[in-house]
Amino acid sequence: MTRYRIVIISLCVALLLLLPCGLLLGSVYIPASEIFKAIAGSVPQDSVVSIILFETRIPALLTALLAGTGLAVAGLLMQTGFSNPLAGPSIMGISSGASLGVALVMLAFGGALGVWGRMATVGGAFAGAMAVMGVLLLFSSVVRSSDVLLIVGILIGYLASSAITLLNFFATQSGVHSYVVWGMGTFAGVSSEAMPLFAGLVVVLTLLSFLLAKPLDALLLGNRYATSAGVNVGATRTVLILLSGALTAVVTAWCGPVAFIGLAVPHIARMLIQSSAHRRLLPATALCGAVTGLFCQILSVAPAIERGIIPVNAITPLVGVPVIIYVLLNRRKLAYFN
């Protein structure tokens, strides 16, 4: 059996093991037997167990799985598109742009986000992410150094953060509170009613990303090689920007600006399969992102019985920072973009 198949099977097994753990953990203790009965339909739908399971825990686990997948794939698209191993939705300012769009929406609604308010946050996050990606695309046509482009993305993120600070200064108390809570990151923000829309968007955008495996491989070898291979570099990068920005916007709107998953998970997938071929790397990254999202969700709710649920952004750096430090220290040994 090849290394790639072993990794894919291992990630699938990890998903199957993490899902039951997520069902068992929460602020309310529910015996495993009761959970099994509720899933089998032996418990009334209006019972406390069914409500907690189908309205809280299962949506949160599905959200974590989908959000991890979307952010990981978005990060991979950006790293390849910008030929920079440190590119990612949070580092390149994409999450900050999406956050600015959400801040504008929350200021307009005064913190009261109903059904239409939630849809407006998706639109605001998408517009903010697209604005930042457009600026990065403009600079990428002028700036040749990936390090300089990375600095530009960081500076754009600072500008967006400055604008968010001003908006919060003039916002109402409820608006500021809603934004601060949203900014901590959570996988519990997608209700069972909104799950089909959220899941549909993430799945469709992820599957569209899989269709770009060959152009991504060509870009990995340089613009000249990609052009000689018949790849329209400008059009391909535009599509990459749209897909990565859309994935980031959708996840950010519902879950908040979740950090490090988009930056670190693609490197984890590369190290696991020891390949940069996107035909294999894209599925491995998606699965690895799903596992990481579930793992972070379980860590955030594990102490819930005593201390309450921990914000996701307090967990993701524990996973992402060691990976990024390893990449920085061993950059010459890693042949991702050499």
Side-chain angles (χ1 to χ4, degrees):
M1 186 178 294
T2 63
R3 181 186 183 90
Y4 176 72
R5 291 184 179 180
I6 293 174
V7 170
I8 294 299
I9 293 174
S10 299
L11 291 173
C12 291
V13 171
L15 282 177
L16 295 177
L17 293 176
L18 288 173
L19 284 171
C21 293
L23 293 177
L24 289 170
L25 296 173
S27 57
V28 177
Y29 172 72
I30 302 177
S33 58
E34 293 296 322
I35 292 177
F36 179 78
K37 291 179 181 178
I39 294 177
S42 302
V43 177
Q45 294 183 352
D46 58 350
S47 65
V48 175
V49 173
S50 295
I51 293 174
I52 292 175
L53 201 61
F54 293 104
E55 298 296 328
T56 303
R57 295 188 184 180
I58 291 179
L61 291 174
L62 290 177
T63 301
L65 187 153
L66 292 167
T69 299
L71 289 175
V73 171
L76 176 59
L77 295 180
M78 294 182 63
Q79 288 173 8
T80 302
F82 288 100
S83 298
N84 194 319
L86 296 180
S90 56
I91 298 296
M92 299 295 288
I94 310 303
S95 295
S96 297
S99 299
L100 177 57
V102 172
L104 287 170
V105 171
M106 287 189 172
L107 177 63
F109 281 85
L113 295 178
V115 176
W116 291 108
R118 179 61 65 183
M119 293 301 298
T121 59
V122 176
F126 183 79
M130 289 298 100
V132 173
M133 291 301 289
V135 174
L136 290 176
L137 181 62
L138 178 63
F139 275 95
S140 67
S141 62
V142 179
V143 178
R144 299 300 179 185
S145 173
S146 59
D147 293 333
V148 174
L149 191 61
L150 179 64
I151 295 174
V152 171
I154 294 173
L155 293 176
I156 293 173
Y158 277 120
L159 288 176
S161 299
S162 176
I164 291 170
T165 301
L166 289 175
L167 289 174
N168 284 329
F169 179 79
F170 292 104
T172 61
Q173 183 176 358
S174 61
V176 173
H177 180 267
S178 296
Y179 182 80
V180 170
V181 172
W182 173 85
M184 292 180 181
T186 179
F187 292 136
V190 183
S191 63
S192 57
E193 291 79 12
M195 182 57 67
L197 176 61
F198 177 77
L201 289 172
V202 173
V203 170
V204 169
L205 292 170
T206 301
L207 291 178
L208 289 175
S209 301
F210 287 1
L211 299 177
L212 298 173
K214 289 185 178 180
L216 286 170
D217 286 339
L219 287 177
L220 199 62
L221 297 174
N223 292 343
R224 291 184 179 179
Y225 176 86
T227 302
S228 63
V231 176
N232 188 327
V233 176
T236 301
R237 280 187 171 169
T238 300
V239 173
L240 291 179
I241 287 172
L242 290 173
L243 286 176
S244 58
L247 281 169
T248 303
V250 170
V251 175
T252 302
W254 266 290
C255 305
V258 180
F260 282 103
I261 290 181
L263 179 61
V265 169
H267 293 293
I268 298 175
R270 289 188 186 97
M271 287 185 283
L272 286 176
I273 68 173
Q274 293 185 353
S275 173
S276 292
H278 288 82
R279 181 175 60 87
R280 296 184 173 187
L281 185 56
L282 277 165
T285 300
L287 279 174
C288 197
V291 171
T292 304
L294 282 176
F295 181 67
C296 292
Q297 169 63 13
I298 290 173
L299 288 182
S300 68
V301 301
I305 297 177
E306 298 180 0
R307 299 288 184 178
I309 297 176
I310 299 174
V312 172
N313 277 333
I315 303 296
T316 53
L318 301 178
V319 177
V321 170
V323 174
I324 301 306
I325 292 176
Y326 177 83
V327 171
L328 290 174
L329 294 178
N330 297 274
R331 189 170 179 178
R332 293 184 178 180
K333 299 179 181 179
L334 302 175
Y336 303 159
F337 303 96
N338 295 336

